[in-house]
Structure formats: C-alpha cells, structure tokens
Amino acid sequence: MKIFNTLTRQKEEFVPLEPGKVKMYACGPTVYNFIHIGNARPICVFDTLRRYLEYRGYAVNFVQNFTDIDDKLIKKANEEGITVKEVAERYIKEYLTDAEGLGIRPATYHPKATENIDQIIKIVETLVEKGYAYANNGDVYFRSKKFKEYGKLSHMPLEELDAGNRIDVSEQKEDAMDFVLWKSAKPGEPFWQSPWGKGRPGWHIECTAMIQKYLGETIDIHCGGQDLIFPHHENEIAQAECCTGKEYARYWMHNGYINVDNHKMSKSLNNFFTTREVAEKYGYEPIKFMMLQAHYRSPINYSVDVIEQCRSALERLYNCRNNIDFMLGSAVDTMTEGEEAFRKTALSRKDQFIAAMEDDLNTADAISALFELARDCNSFFTQPRSKGVTQFAAALFDELSDVLGLLYNRQEDSSLDAEIEALIEKRQQARKNKDFATADAIRDQLKERNIVLEDTPNGVKWHQA
Ligand SMILES: [Zn+2]
C-alpha cells in the first residue's frame, strides 16, 4: 500500500516495522463537549484505514486516547459546578454514542491522560536529565531549538515558526519556541504530585506517554487532523525523539478540513455543527459516507445538499444489496445465462476497489468501484439467477462495504425485513384462499407503516416510502 507521508511529503510504499503487524495511533478527542463534524472526520477515515489494513491481513494494534484533563475541561467543570472527572465521563459516553452511530469499531486501547500520569512524569524527568527540558517555578518546558530537527513535520524553517510565537507574560519560558510539558497547578485545579510540585501535564506529552506505554518507542502510523501538524505533532516528535533517541513514527497521515457552506467552521461564524445535531436530522451513516466519498486529504464542504446527496447515494447501495437478498428467495438451482461473465466483471470491481485503497487510501475511488458493482448487480438480477451466483454477489458486496465501514445498518433492517416479509406471505396466502378481508387488512396495515408493495414476475417486492 502507498501512503502519503506528511514527514516526507511523498507517497511511500508502506512497510511495517514488523512483518504482518501495524502499530497505529490517532489523537483522540478532548472530552469537554460533543464532537463536531470536523472531529468526526479523522475518526471515520482512520477507522477505515484500520479496517483496510486488517482486511489485507495485518494484525493492527490501534490506540486512540481521550484527553481528559486540560483548560477546557477545567473551565466546563467550573461553569457547571461539577468535577473535571464528571465532565470527562459525560463526554466520553457521548463520544462513544456518536462513534457507535458512525459504525466505528472501538480501538484496541482508549487510554486516558489522567490514567498515565506516571509515564508522563517519567518522560519529563528523562528530558530534564538530558538537558532538553527545564523547570521554572513548578512548570517544565521543552527547549525546542535544542532539537535540531524541530520543524521537520511541518516543513517550516525555525525562523518562520518562531515569528508566530510570543511569550505570554504568565509563562516562564527561556525562548518563545519552547512548549510546556508540565504545568504547575493553580488554586482550585486538579493536580498530581510531581518532582516539580503539584501540577498537571501539558497537552502534547500525553500522546507520547501513551504511545510509549501501549505501542513502544517507534510506531508505524501516527494520524490525526491537519490542524494537529503544528504544533501538536511537531512537539510530540521533538519530545519523543529526544527522550528515546529513536524515530517516533514512520508514517504520518493527516486528514483535511471540513468547511461549512464554503466557510471555515468556527464558533464565531455560527456555522459550527456537532455530529449529534447532524445525525439527529439526517442519520449517522450519511455523515460517514460524506467523510469517505472524498479523498481524506482533500477538504470537504459540508452543506445540506451534500448530506442529502450522501443519504440518497447510500439508499441506492442499500436498495441494491436488499434486492440481492430478495432475489435469493427466487434463486434457481442451475446456472443461468451470463453468470460467468457477471462473476468476472464483479471480481474486476473488487480489483478496482483494492487498487484505489492501495493508493493512499483513496476511499473516493473505492466507493465508485462499489457503485459500479451495484450497477452490475442491478442489471444482472432482473431475473432469478442461480443460488451460487446470488450468494457470491451478496458476499462480495458485504466484503467491500465492510472494509469501508458502510451499510452497517442492515442488521436492524433484517429484523424489520423478516417481519414485513411474514406479513406479505400471510397476505399472499389469504388471497390464495380468497380471504380478501384479511388480505386487505394486511395491505392497510403495511400502508400505515409506509410499506409500498409492488407485484413483479419474481414475486411481491416491497420498499419503504
Ligand atoms: Zn496527540
């Protein structure tokens, strides 16, 4: 597989450190609020990356953290008169609800910053010992300029990065470029004991601590949103590589931004949407589809039109897949005309799908391949086909949509399907027995539930209006 590596700015062949195994890490949410649709993008994209790597036979150890201590959590806790821990617990729960709705599989580990304070202190101590960090009045800072490769991920010369930094009067830094590893506790803030007094970790250090603890000193893939390249990921590299003397992450993947109606999402523009709000209106799966129908590095422009289009595109895929199931009911035992050619075409769609995913996770082209498969199926299954080829089409459809993490709401559908099919069967029976009163009653019952019946040469078909 080829991956565009932010570090080298090139597509590179992916070669894991250990054959057959992938260690990957994604920066997770700061749990002080509901996640917005911009936050949902890396969650969807990198879940699909993990699914694809597993599909290709890798054992993937995937870690995604929860930032459960920082200024925003403290502010929220003070506003609501509850503890920081309560804020974190509430929004981790809400995150998990959204993730489940989006069909995201839980990571191998979801560590929390507050549960890894020992590891964090250990790294900061090592950095102080090695002269890369210094304590000042209970704060500990990292000497960015001492790390000669500082800026290698963002590809910015030091002077340029420097120009954007100003020393905040409240800070005790030697240099504007330095960043905080450990913060002394202000009155009323949660704190932990440390060699530098009571305090709490800075943001960047937690990811490095969790990576070292759960994945080791060097990992294969580190991913996150583009907005994290600088300073977060740049700082992660500096502190980690100065601590261990080893390469931190071999491939860096970053997803693009989400704009709303062609504007950058921001609270001041009032075009800020939580995933929950959008899901309540349109469902979760169209959001997932929207994230995957674009290349992960391209920007996405969210609008009502776009999400509606995603919803109807998904519906076409569901209809096709449901039709294959329907055709299984009238499948025959012998091969019908054109089956070999159909199988060949369908398998070429699979090749097309894999080629797209191999090319830097091009989910946009992979989805196109799935739609072409759907078109092939729609024109092929207009008459009863052999059981073998019908099952083959269903399995291939499921295989590809599962790699993307789409069409995951079919299970719920199938209990509804069974119930409605039973009613249709009962109605057919009643008609056969000339019991028209029962047949009409069932028809009305179905109509009430917006089920539309359609008589076809292959039996009664139904769909929800
Ligand atoms: Zn991080």
Side-chain angles (χ1 to χ4, degrees):
M1 179 184 193
K2 283 210 164 34
I3 286 178
F4 182 89
N5 190 348
T6 310
L7 200 59
T8 58
R9 285 174 156 173
Q10 287 180 38
K11 271 190 203 171
E12 292 172 15
E13 191 58 42
F14 175 66
V15 185
L17 273 167
E18 252 185 276
K21 290 186 181 168
V22 179
K23 294 176 187 181
M24 71 182 256
Y25 183 89
C27 297
T30 301
V31 284
Y32 74 106
N33 211 335
F34 287 92
I35 57 165
H36 59 72
I37 54 170
N39 302 136
R41 189 170 188 189
I43 293 162
C44 294
V45 164
F46 299 118
D47 174 64
T48 297
L49 172 66
R50 176 215 200 169
R51 285 168 184 267
Y52 181 67
L53 290 168
E54 287 182 349
Y55 175 66
R56 301 300 280 169
Y58 290 106
V60 181
N61 189 350
F62 176 41
V63 178
Q64 186 195 290
N65 69 313
F66 286 120
T67 298
D68 62 345
I69 175 79
D70 91 326
D71 292 342
K72 295 191 273 289
L73 274 112
I74 294 172
K75 191 169 166 250
K76 186 93 171 186
N78 288 339
E79 277 168 11
E80 301 201 7
I82 55 175
T83 64
V84 168
K85 196 171 181 280
E86 283 168 326
V87 173
E89 276 168 4
R90 181 198 296 169
Y91 291 108
I92 285 174
K93 214 174 133 223
E94 299 297 0
Y95 166 84
L96 293 172
T97 302
D98 287 336
E100 199 193 326
L102 291 165
I104 306 295
R105 290 170 45 207
T108 320
Y109 299 102
H110 281 286
K112 301 183 187 96
T114 58
E115 289 172 358
N116 291 279
I117 301 291
D118 290 352
Q119 183 73 19
I120 290 170
I121 291 176
K122 227 164 72 189
I123 298 172
V124 178
E125 276 185 302
T126 307
L127 290 170
V128 172
E129 272 163 36
K130 289 188 168 184
Y132 285 107
Y134 56 96
N136 196 347
N137 274 333
D139 294 339
V140 184
Y141 295 98
F142 184 88
R143 287 191 175 97
S144 300
K145 285 181 182 160
K146 196 171 158 79
F147 178 52
K148 293 291 167 254
E149 293 172 76
Y150 195 78
K152 68 176 172 181
L153 185 70
S154 40
H155 302 275
M156 295 254 276
L158 220 59
E159 310 78 64
E160 233 168 278
L161 292 175
D162 211 0
N165 277 286
R166 296 278 175 275
I167 296 189
D168 184 329
V169 281
S170 67
E171 292 180 317
Q172 323 256 345
K173 299 183 196 175
E174 290 174 359
D175 187 277
M177 288 295 291
D178 296 353
F179 61 89
V180 71
L181 296 167
W182 186 263
K183 289 179 181 182
S184 59
K186 292 190 195 100
E189 284 183 1
F191 63 82
W192 288 265
Q193 294 292 349
S194 82
W196 315 283
K198 292 172 181 173
R200 59 186 169 96
W203 172 35
H204 315 303
I205 194 70
E206 70 176 79
C207 291
T208 299
M210 293 186 236
I211 283 180
Q212 283 192 7
K213 183 162 161 190
Y214 292 91
L215 296 169
E217 291 177 328
T218 305
I219 62 168
D220 294 296
I221 305 172
H222 195 313
C223 37
Q226 243 170 37
D227 53 323
L228 297 183
I229 296 175
F230 187 83
H232 184 54
H233 288 163
E234 197 72 72
N235 291 351
E236 275 193 47
I237 293 175
Q239 68 204 6
E241 298 194 352
C242 290
C243 175
T244 64
K246 291 183 186 136
E247 189 181 15
Y248 182 47
R250 302 175 68 223
Y251 301 86
W252 287 85
M253 294 175 79
H254 293 100
N255 63 270
Y257 291 107
I258 292 200
N259 296 319
V260 172
D261 294 322
N262 292 312
H263 292 286
K264 204 178 166 211
M265 233 188 346
S266 80
K267 285 206 166 122
S268 57
L269 281 175
N270 214 7
N271 62 354
F272 204 83
F273 294 102
T274 66
T275 303
R276 188 69 55 88
E277 284 175 283
V278 179
E280 275 166 2
K281 273 194 204 144
Y282 305 99
Y284 277 107
E285 206 176 352
I287 303 175
K288 177 93 168 271
F289 188 93
M290 178 178 77
M291 303 303 184
L292 300 178
Q293 48 86 40
H295 189 278
Y296 74 92
R297 286 190 285 118
S298 312
I300 287 179
N301 187 38
Y302 168 81
S303 69
V304 171
D305 284 351
V306 168
I307 200 88
E308 293 276 17
Q309 278 162 22
C310 290
R311 192 156 73 165
S312 58
L314 263 174
E315 220 172 86
R316 292 205 297 279
L317 291 177
Y318 272 103
N319 285 342
C320 171
R321 181 60 188 82
N322 290 338
N323 184 47
I324 300 172
D325 268 2
F326 173 77
M327 292 309 284
L328 208 51
S330 54
V332 293
D333 291 330
T334 48
M335 234 169 65
T336 61
E337 209 194 318
E339 291 199 4
E340 259 171 83
F342 170 77
R343 277 180 192 258
K344 221 174 130 190
T345 313
L347 288 173
S348 77
R349 302 304 182 205
K350 176 176 165 176
D351 293 342
Q352 209 179 318
F353 179 95
I354 291 174
M357 297 295 273
E358 286 288 302
D359 183 15
D360 191 28
L361 199 74
N362 193 335
T363 52
D365 285 359
I367 285 182
S368 301
L370 188 58
F371 270 100
E372 279 172 51
L373 177 65
R375 264 193 295 277
D376 300 335
C377 290
N378 286 341
S379 51
F380 183 68
F381 289 104
T382 48
Q383 63 179 85
R385 299 294 188 172
S386 76
K387 206 172 229 161
V389 82
T390 314
Q391 281 165 342
F392 157 84
L396 182 59
F397 214 92
D398 291 346
E399 180 182 321
L400 303 187
S401 49
D402 191 53
V403 172
L404 292 169
L406 289 175
L407 303 196
Y408 54 88
N409 286 313
R410 268 177 47 78
Q411 260 163 354
E412 278 170 47
D413 282 346
S414 62
S415 68
L416 176 77
D417 286 4
E419 191 192 331
I420 291 183
E421 268 145 33
L423 279 171
I424 293 173
E425 180 60 38
K426 217 170 129 191
R427 176 172 168 263
Q428 293 296 89
Q429 209 54 48
R431 280 167 75 176
K432 225 190 230 169
N433 299 339
K434 302 202 184 315
D435 176 5
F436 296 113
T438 305
D440 288 350
I442 295 172
R443 190 198 55 210
D444 291 346
Q445 200 183 334
L446 289 167
K447 205 172 155 193
E448 235 167 72
R449 297 176 62 174
N450 289 326
I451 306 293
V452 179
L453 300 181
E454 185 192 338
D455 280 306
T456 79
N458 305 311
V460 180
K461 246 176 149 172
W462 66 272
H463 66 271
Q464 222 155 358

